[in-house]
Amino acid sequence: MTTAISYPLPPAVVEATVAAIRFDANGLVPAIAQQHDTGEVLMMAWMNAQSVAESLTTGRACYWSRSRQSFWRKGDTSGQVQHLRELRVDCDGDTLLLLVDQVGVACHTGRRSCFYRAAAPDGLSTIADVVTDPLVLYPPHAHDHQAP
Amino acid sequence: MTTAISYPLPPAVVEATVAAIRFDANGLVPAIAQQHDTGEVLMMAWMNAQSVAESLTTGRACYWSRSRQSFWRKGDTSGQVQHLRELRVDCDGDTLLLLVDQVGVACHTGRRSCFYRAAAPDGLSTIADVVTDPLVLYPPHAHDHQAP
């Protein structure tokens, strides 16, 4: 689905990309993470200008955690890193799509994708199994219980 | 990627699904639309409780247009309807994923997907062609110039 891009991208490209994004009143933009080869939508999180620049420079998906109000380099706690393949900007510049190579699982419940509940005739049903025990992702002795 | 679900879903299921969603302070939730068979991420838009219920009842994706502050039954103006296959709720209940069958193009620029710009070594480059002239989607005599 994507050609391999080497990171860091040149600073001028990073700057032009950030400039093309319309961040909201809180300085954030929603970012969809999609597994680059299978097309599976893994999660949605938020980025600020710093996390966009960090992602395009390091080649690793970095977000802004609204709940913790902090920079969130995905996988730092859980090891479930997202290697960035390509960052795309939508027509209005107000949503991003990240094509990634997800190590392990994207969801803090230990499922591959966060979208594991579907509205079906018999109710809102769980359609994906837990792949990794969340206790393995976040051992009780872990210093900082972050999302994956 | 999905089993075929018949709409309308039972009112109790619609109610339980809406109840599982954590709408933001404006009563909205981001909804990602993905082509059900190819996995292509088409667009991201916003839904309120009414548009979720409408989608699960009619089997057509309906959104809430923040720019127009109005209910937006996708395709009413442009004909570029999204037939709903499955609506999924993420782990935190604050993002939706809609598996759809997109008629024509999702983007108001006439491209299949809104995510047609990619950060590449030579800059933010356009990676998808216009499939349908926007003037065909929104003829100058159209009463209401909506997004597709």
Side-chain angles (χ1 to χ4, degrees), chain A residues 3 9 21 34 38 40 55 83 89:
Chain A
T3 52
L9 286 180
I21 299 169
Q34 180 180 33
T38 64
E40 186 178 22
S55 299
H83 297 291
V89 182

Side-chain angles (χ1 to χ4, degrees), chain A residues 88-110:
Chain A
R88 297 182 186 167
V89 182
D90 82 342
C91 51
D92 296 324
D94 62 5
T95 308
L96 305 180
L97 175 64
L98 276 62
L99 285 298
V100 302
D101 195 8
Q102 172 72 57
V103 172
V105 297
C107 186
H108 75 288
T109 64

